[in-house]
Amino acid sequence: MKLSIALCASAVTAASLPALESREDGIPLSEFGQVNSISPEEAAAGLDIGFTLSGRAEQGWPLETFGEVHHVEPLEAVQGKDLGGNNFSALPIFGPGHESSLQSWLDKVNNKIGHSSHHVGAKFRHGAHTVIEKVEDLIDNVLETRDTGDCPNPNIRFEWDDYSTSDKQAFVSAIKCLINKPASGRFSPSKNRYEDFVRLHQSYAPNIHSRSTSQQTHKFLLWHRYFVWAFEQVLRDECGFNRAMPWWDEKKWAGKFAQATIFTTQYFGTLPGATNGAGTCISNGAFSGLQSNLGPGQTINNPHCVQRAVNEQTTAQTGVSSYNTCLARTSYPDFHSCVEFTFHAQGHNGIGATMADAIASPGDPVFFMHHLYVDYVFRKWQLGAVSRRTTISGCATNDGCSPLTLDTMIYLGNICGSKCPDLPVRDVLRTLQGHFCYRYNY
């Protein structure tokens, strides 16, 4: 649909009109033309606003526009294909009973094998055609026996079906409040406070996601833990949300996301399939007609409706099989790889369209429910051993694998002000210590 730039259009030119004094009868109305108009109903729908007349804003986009989150099948994860040929056990472990810092580890390796720091760093570089080598003598089995210093009264995150109707309404209302608030101005060109989060994720996405199974970063789980927590703080501080935080046990809806109790006309809206190979705009629920200015990918200033396109064959891969496969992994990088490429990726791809866009997927508010589940599984895995809550290993970068340490910084752009400073991994590793104080209800 094209927007006409003429306010009125005459059916004839002034030169073609006969002189008024020679006419005693009225001029046919057709000769006057008509001022362009829309009905009150069309105005209520916003059709007088130029950008909404764009076909992109009114209609879903072809699904290939959004791409998809890189993934592996559950069976492939059992076979270790998500590791991309890398052996992450070669990387040093940092924390109690292990290496104290990156420099101390480099000093030890340099003294032991006589290599410069440059060459040692090169030993861990991984890419499409190289793998991480094994360094058996860098791993030990010294573990702490228990946690100390846990916060005494953690906030409890309740699974959606254990959450009251009143709490559910308060949660979606708080999100709508953010959507209706002006942008902070720190995340241009965001158009509202909610979109600040979309823009932050869009900006940082290249550094917080793995490029592929062979080029991984293991900051993904840590960064998103902090990101979702920051979202909670802004809901509370700026929109008065004063209930417990919810989470969504996604695995129990595997293969039937459209039937999930979050996808109703009362809450997040229903979950439609594709429309003629294109995404379908959200048309009901709390976020009916939601527009985004960001995405797909790194695109900005691009008004369009937030879209979904459920594929239940894909959502079926988010179930207990993937969950158990990931929990069975014993090292952090291996667990991280499994999560990022199995149920995390397929949860995004299964909901489809906006959610399948790895870069700007927070445009759909269900993003946060999905990542609350991801964080839930992360905490479940951490409960399996004290060392999983006190040590870290893996790749800090996806373009060369500099070692991930407890001192690696996690940046969040101060999106929730003084509550969201840049923090080292050690302060976001546990949910009951450091910067956080929360757990899940089961």
Side-chain angles (χ1 to χ4, degrees):
M1 184 184 300
K2 295 182 178 179
L3 177 63
S4 174
I5 61 173
L7 294 179
C8 61
S10 175
V12 294
T13 67
S16 67
L17 290 174
L20 291 178
E21 59 267 25
S22 66
R23 298 191 59 169
E24 297 180 357
D25 55 340
I27 300 172
L29 293 180
S30 60
E31 295 187 11
F32 290 101
Q34 190 176 57
V35 176
N36 288 336
S37 65
I38 61 172
S39 69
E41 292 77 16
E42 290 173 325
L47 295 186
D48 57 308
I49 302 173
F51 76 79
T52 62
L53 293 176
S54 163
R56 296 183 305 174
E58 290 184 329
Q59 303 173 10
W61 294 353
L63 295 182
E64 59 265 24
T65 304
F66 298 97
E68 65 177 16
V69 179
H70 193 74
H71 65 278
V72 298
E73 307 291 330
L75 180 59
E76 292 176 322
V78 172
Q79 298 167 346
K81 290 187 178 180
D82 59 292
L83 300 176
N86 293 304
N87 184 355
F88 293 113
S89 65
L91 294 165
I93 300 174
F94 296 91
H98 298 270
E99 297 298 332
S100 60
S101 68
L102 178 59
Q103 189 58 52
S104 68
W105 172 74
L106 289 173
D107 291 343
K108 175 191 287 187
V109 175
N110 289 342
N111 291 334
K112 183 173 292 187
I113 62 178
H115 283 219
S116 68
S117 297
H118 171 77
H119 289 127
V120 171
K123 191 175 188 66
F124 295 92
R125 298 193 188 283
H126 64 308
H129 305 293
T130 60
V131 298
I132 297 173
E133 299 177 29
K134 187 175 183 181
V135 185
E136 294 179 335
D137 59 1
L138 298 179
I139 300 176
D140 61 51
N141 296 313
V142 180
L143 304 177
E144 290 185 346
T145 57
R146 63 185 179 86
D147 284 24
T148 57
D150 283 355
C151 60
N153 298 302
N155 293 319
I156 310 299
R157 292 178 173 178
F158 286 90
E159 205 282 321
W160 188 255
D161 289 335
D162 297 325
Y163 210 43
S164 73
T165 298
S166 174
D167 288 344
K168 292 173 182 176
Q169 292 283 15
F171 182 64
V172 296
S173 293
I175 298 175
K176 289 182 67 176
C177 165
L178 283 189
I179 293 170
N180 291 326
K181 287 179 72 71
S184 67
R186 300 194 306 273
F187 302 93
S188 179
S190 166
K191 298 299 185 184
N192 59 60
R193 188 64 170 118
Y194 178 86
E195 216 169 61
D196 283 353
F197 282 86
V198 185
R199 180 56 178 158
L200 174 64
H201 187 276
Q202 186 185 46
S203 300
Y204 282 23
N207 299 318
I208 58 174
H209 298 89
S210 297
R211 295 182 177 184
S212 66
T213 57
S214 61
Q215 293 178 293
Q216 298 192 24
T217 175
H218 302 109
K219 290 191 297 187
F220 165 78
L221 289 175
L222 299 161
W223 191 90
H224 284 84
R225 167 172 284 180
Y226 197 4
F227 184 63
V228 172
W229 181 87
F231 184 68
E232 176 186 355
Q233 306 316 302
V234 173
L235 290 178
R236 297 190 184 285
D237 295 345
E238 300 182 28
C239 284
F241 180 62
N242 60 2
R243 313 299 177 91
M245 193 70 173
W247 67 281
W248 178 39
D249 194 350
E250 199 169 287
K251 66 182 182 296
K252 68 183 183 182
W253 298 103
K256 52 182 180 180
F257 272 25
Q259 301 175 40
T261 49
I262 69 169
F263 290 116
T264 69
T265 56
Q266 193 174 6
Y267 304 121
F268 284 82
T270 54
L271 192 52
T275 302
N276 298 321
T280 303
C281 300
I282 300 175
S283 61
N284 54 41
F287 309 109
S288 178
L290 180 61
Q291 295 273 315
S292 179
N293 184 55
L294 304 170
Q298 296 289 350
T299 309
I300 60 174
N301 297 318
N302 191 31
H304 60 279
C305 67
V306 175
Q307 301 161 44
R308 295 170 177 167
V310 69
N311 182 328
E312 299 290 20
Q313 288 184 318
T314 302
T315 71
Q317 298 177 38
T318 67
V320 174
S321 176
S322 294
Y323 174 80
N324 287 336
T325 296
C326 295
L327 288 185
R329 299 282 177 90
T330 56
S331 76
Y332 171 73
D334 289 0
F335 166 75
H336 183 288
S337 174
C338 182
V339 170
E340 185 175 10
F341 292 112
T342 60
F343 65 82
H344 159 257
Q346 298 296 48
H348 277 278
N349 295 335
I351 294 171
T354 298
M355 273 287 281
D357 171 16
I359 308 301
S361 49
D364 189 334
V366 80
F367 169 96
F368 290 95
M369 299 302 288
H370 175 55
H371 271 274
L372 282 157
Y373 175 66
V374 170
D375 185 65
Y376 162 80
V377 180
F378 183 17
R379 175 168 162 77
K380 274 290 186 183
W381 180 81
Q382 288 186 300
L383 293 175
V386 174
S387 62
R388 298 176 182 179
R389 305 187 294 278
T390 60
T391 66
I392 201 69
S393 63
C395 301
T397 56
N398 57 23
D399 60 353
C401 193
S402 59
L404 180 66
T405 80
L406 293 175
D407 296 316
T408 300
M409 296 301 292
I410 304 296
Y411 303 99
L412 218 59
N414 296 111
I415 195 165
C416 58
S418 61
K419 287 187 175 181
C420 293
D422 299 335
L423 291 173
V425 166
R426 69 178 73 252
D427 287 342
V428 299
L429 186 57
R430 305 192 202 190
T431 71
L432 296 177
Q433 290 192 31
H435 204 61
F436 307 135
C437 185
Y438 71 86
R439 65 177 179 85
Y440 293 86
N441 67 316
Y442 66 78

